[in-house]
Amino acid sequence: MRQDLAAHIARNSQPIAEVLGVEFGKVTDVLEIGSGSGQHATLFATAFPQLQWQTSDLDENHSAINAWIAREQLPNVLPPLSLDVMTAKLPANSYDAVFSANTAHIMPIAAVEQMFAVVSTVLRAGGVFFLYGPFRQDLEFNAESNARFHETLQARDRGMGIRDLEKLEGFATVLALDRLRCYAMPANNLSLLWLKRDGSVV
Ligand SMILES: C[S@@+](CC[C@H](N)C(=O)[O-])C[C@H]1O[C@@H](n2cnc3c(N)ncnc32)[C@H](O)[C@@H]1O
């Protein structure tokens, strides 16, 4: 295993790659929201050379993402777009897939709702939204560790916290995003997928 990766990326990248191998078979253009360090982008662009991976994040993370891209020298990873979901102005229907990992519990809930709006705007009909992280279902945490993580997040910032799947479903449905699949992942995380409906009603 590579020693230069963040610990959580080293743990989750292979299981995520296995899901992407199944779900991104027909995908070419990917927009990542909240690329963070850029490590997922370069790992998945290496694993799936047919993908054109567009990184994005708040400006404060761009130097880290650019450094990782420069180091890996990949032809299919694009430098980060300046994308704050709260203020994004984006072209319609530009991507086959949107990927985002570990963002929904960091953003305030209004930003999570706005992320779904951005996703629906930029996805082509038939495109997929992949969202990875810890989530709550039926108002229940799926592990004690996630309940504690939620408390830690809330202590750090009241606007952060593990999100309810039902709340996300509510955001998705009115934005022409239909739930496609849910994968149980290691460490009590989930990979959630939504499909952009044909004949958008957005
Ligand atoms: C916990 S980090 C996850 C980074 C990376 N995806 C990963 O899994 O390591 C959360 C990311 O969400 C981004 N983020 C927070 N608020 C955002 C917003 N309003 N718009 C876009 N990205 C945002 C942060 O800048 C950060 O990169």
Side-chain angles (χ1 to χ4, degrees):
M1 185 185 296
R2 288 175 58 156
Q3 302 298 313
D4 53 351
L5 300 172
H8 72 284
I9 302 271
R11 278 195 304 271
N12 67 29
S13 53
Q14 184 53 36
I16 293 175
E18 285 168 20
V19 175
L20 298 185
V22 175
E23 299 290 351
F24 278 18
K26 294 184 184 154
V27 168
T28 303
D29 301 310
V30 181
L31 171 68
E32 181 178 13
I33 296 179
S35 296
S37 64
Q39 293 177 34
H40 274 151
T42 52
L43 287 169
F44 300 141
T46 302
F48 304 106
Q50 75 279 12
L51 298 180
Q52 182 82 353
W53 196 283
Q54 174 65 66
T55 57
S56 82
D57 209 319
L58 310 181
D59 291 350
E60 66 210 41
N61 285 332
H62 286 200
S63 57
I65 299 167
N66 279 323
W68 204 267
I69 291 174
R71 191 174 133 177
E72 298 294 306
Q73 290 285 313
L74 293 163
N76 58 332
V77 183
L78 299 171
L81 297 177
S82 193
L83 199 164
D84 180 334
V85 293
M86 293 304 284
T87 54
K89 301 253 184 311
L90 294 162
N93 297 328
S94 297
Y95 298 92
D96 302 318
V98 177
F99 173 98
S100 196
N102 292 317
T103 46
H105 59 273
I106 298 297
M107 296 175 184
I109 193 67
V112 177
E113 183 172 17
Q114 205 48 42
M115 173 163 67
F116 274 83
V118 168
V119 168
S120 183
T121 302
V122 302
L123 271 185
R124 297 177 182 132
V128 289
F129 177 33
F130 173 101
L131 183 64
Y132 170 88
F135 300 95
R136 206 165 68 144
Q137 196 161 14
D138 301 324
L139 303 180
E140 302 268 2
F141 292 102
N142 58 358
E144 184 52 35
S145 58
N146 275 345
R148 283 199 305 274
F149 183 44
H150 179 74
E151 284 169 15
T152 308
L153 288 166
Q154 293 247 293
R156 190 167 136 202
D157 182 329
R158 293 295 296 169
M160 292 182 179
I162 292 182
R163 307 302 172 196
D164 288 314
L165 268 182
E166 295 76 10
K167 185 100 179 162
L168 303 186
E169 275 313 323
F171 296 156
T173 304
V174 296
L175 290 163
L177 294 164
D178 295 327
R179 203 34 193 288
L180 191 57
R181 269 175 282 284
C182 170
Y183 292 80
M185 304 295 284
N188 306 303
N189 289 297
L190 299 178
S191 286
L192 303 171
L193 285 115
W194 286 269
L195 181 73
K196 175 75 184 286
R197 217 173 288 149
D198 279 333
S200 169
V201 294
V202 180

